Amino acid sequence: MTMETTTLSGLELLHNAAHNKGTAFNDQERKNKKLEGLLPPSVESLDLQVQRVLNHLDSKKDDLERYIYLIGLEERNEVVFYKTVMSDPMRFIPILYDPIVADACLEFGHIYRRPRGMYITRHMKGRMAEVLKNWPVKDVRFICVSTGGRILGLGDIGANGMGIPIGKLQLYTACAAVPPDCLLPVLFDIGTTNEKLRNDPLYLGTREAPVSEEELNELTEEFVQAVQTVFPGCCIHFEDWKGTDAIRYLDRYKDKVLCYNDDIQGTASVALAGVFSAMNITGGDLKEQRILFYGAGSAGIGIGKLICSELRDLGLSEEEARSRVAYMDINGLIETSRDDLSPEQQKFALNAEPTRDLVKVINDFKPTILFGVSTSAGAFTQAVVEKMSEINERPIIFALSNPTSKVECTAEQAYTWSKGKALFAAGVQFPEFEMNGKTFLPGQANNFYIYPAIGLATYAARPLLLDDECFIVAAHATANQVTADMQKKGMLYPSQHNILETEITTAVKIAEYMFDNGLAQAERPENIRSWIEEKLYNPQY
């Protein structure tokens, strides 16, 4: 926003992150905006301001301190923050999001500085729309909302989970240049099961146990309808709700309002992109794959359902598609004799003997692809990887649990135990690994390849709804950007160095699908890419 569009002046202007230019205000602006004497006399360029930030970051002792500094920077000067982050996304994405955001969430109440976003509590029942109107921006296009009920692999951390909506929306801008002023992070505080947090004097949330399912249904319905009233056309991005809640509310609202669940659909899409990339490397046919999931929560079920959707598109029946997919959870193989399965899990139950032995399941089911979505650290043992390598020339292994402390196996373990045969990706970024003179580049199957592009396409095309096909299109578009040179190194995802270009290319494909299938409300332009590029946020004064 330019100086001509704001009436702020003096300290009020300097304290407004969206308009503040700090030492970059020129002499005339300082006179016009009553800033004379409030700033050091030197007028600096944006590049020089960024250099000072980089110097500060280099002096910090660890990435959590860098995270705290960057959050403070965003609260002071939005342009400098995004100019810094977008200058080197490969460096800053891991600091602003996974894995450092996990540490930040654990310490959220202790490192808290200033309020960000909105906190909607159970005690606002009956007046949520009134409360949402307190947000100063009226054209909100995206709300990322979390209950904090299932944060990464950390479990229920209640209001400490606010770090996730904040971080997710920062990546809308940092990765896909969605304008930041249309983004609103929300913590939907329904209480927490985490007694340690409730007893922490610095905990910032309500100190109550979670509401019943019936009351949560009522609260969520009010919130969803309040968003429709206060911010018409806003997309609700559900993030890190407890697994059963996540599935229930996605099923309830996806065909009624503009919304999606990143843990289910975004995770499924980025996983499917990795599968497509692997097929490009091996020359395999998706219809011939057998996929085993270790973990049967919302993420794993979401991936399986999207894979089945793609298999149906390829001509398989629903029964044939599901026969290609199997699940294990903490209680063993998902099979028909079990009486503890959710309705979604029951759809994938195998007619097989009960077992908790992952190696035995691999030997019997003979998967070509193994997904870890369990948050069970070390679950992919040497015996597991060796068995996958025994039955597959190029075993495809995705260890998606995060943070790093929860991963099923490391890149080094996957490559070493498979003797270099594995195609591997994790939910966190592992460093490159050298073995027998060959360099392996493990992929990061992180949703930031998908949801910012979904966001950019949605921001531009203004769809009425988002269907599953949007996420399949995103998966294909992402996989198709893995070049032949990348494939030779075992890479399953594009480089993060040019993440903005990657996201734009993916967003263009999604927007094309939206226009082709009557989802978009915007008028179709002659050149979709140029049209989208004109809407990108550019961190400049």
Side-chain angles (χ1 to χ4, degrees), residues 214 222 257 395 534:
E214 181 181 359
E222 182 183 346
V257 302
E534 290 173 357

Side-chain angles (χ1 to χ4, degrees), residues 11 17 26 32 48 59-60 76 87 155 207 222 252 262 271 278 298 320 333 412 433 451 454 490 503 510 516:
L11 288 176
N26 62 38
N32 293 344
L48 191 59
S59 70
K60 301 298 179 184
R76 297 190 303 274
S87 71
R207 300 174 187 273
E222 182 183 346
R252 179 173 299 174
D262 183 52
S298 60
E320 289 171 329
L333 181 65
E412 180 177 349
F433 177 67
Y451 73 82
I454 290 283
E503 302 278 2
I510 300 166
D516 290 344

Side-chain angles (χ1 to χ4, degrees), residues 135-254:
W135 189 247
V137 177
K138 303 311 174 189
D139 185 19
V140 172
R141 300 287 192 90
F142 298 93
I143 287 176
C144 182
V145 57
S146 178
T147 61
R150 191 228 59 151
I151 297 293
L152 300 172
L154 305 175
D156 182 354
I157 59 172
N160 277 19
M162 184 51 144
I164 297 295
I166 291 171
K168 284 281 184 178
L169 292 179
Q170 286 170 337
L171 264 60
Y172 271 64
T173 304
C175 294
V178 177
D181 60 352
C182 71
L183 310 174
L184 172 57
V186 173
L187 194 285
F188 198 55
D189 192 341
I190 59 169
T192 178
T193 59
N194 194 320
E195 189 172 347
K196 181 181 177 182
L197 280 180
R198 295 204 305 259
N199 293 329
D200 182 350
L202 294 180
Y203 178 61
L204 292 164
T206 57
R207 300 174 187 273
E208 302 161 311
V211 298
S212 67
E213 181 177 311
E214 181 181 359
E215 185 175 357
L216 181 56
N217 288 342
E218 294 173 359
L219 291 168
T220 304
E221 173 67 14
E222 182 183 346
F223 175 76
V224 169
Q225 297 309 322
V227 171
Q228 311 313 304
T229 299
V230 180
F231 305 118
C234 177
C235 178
I236 301 175
H237 168 163
F238 291 103
E239 183 70 36
D240 285 332
W241 292 52
K242 189 175 69 175
T244 52
D245 295 337
I247 293 171
R248 185 168 73 255
Y249 294 129
L250 179 61
D251 288 345
R252 179 173 299 174
Y253 292 112
K254 67 179 182 178

Side-chain angles (χ1 to χ4, degrees), residues 23 93 113 214 234 246 265 303 349 354 383 388 400 458 475 517 524:
T23 53
I93 289 173
R113 298 292 192 275
E214 181 181 359
C234 177
Q265 294 164 294
I303 299 169
M388 283 292 295
L400 300 187
T458 299
N517 290 274
R524 184 169 191 148

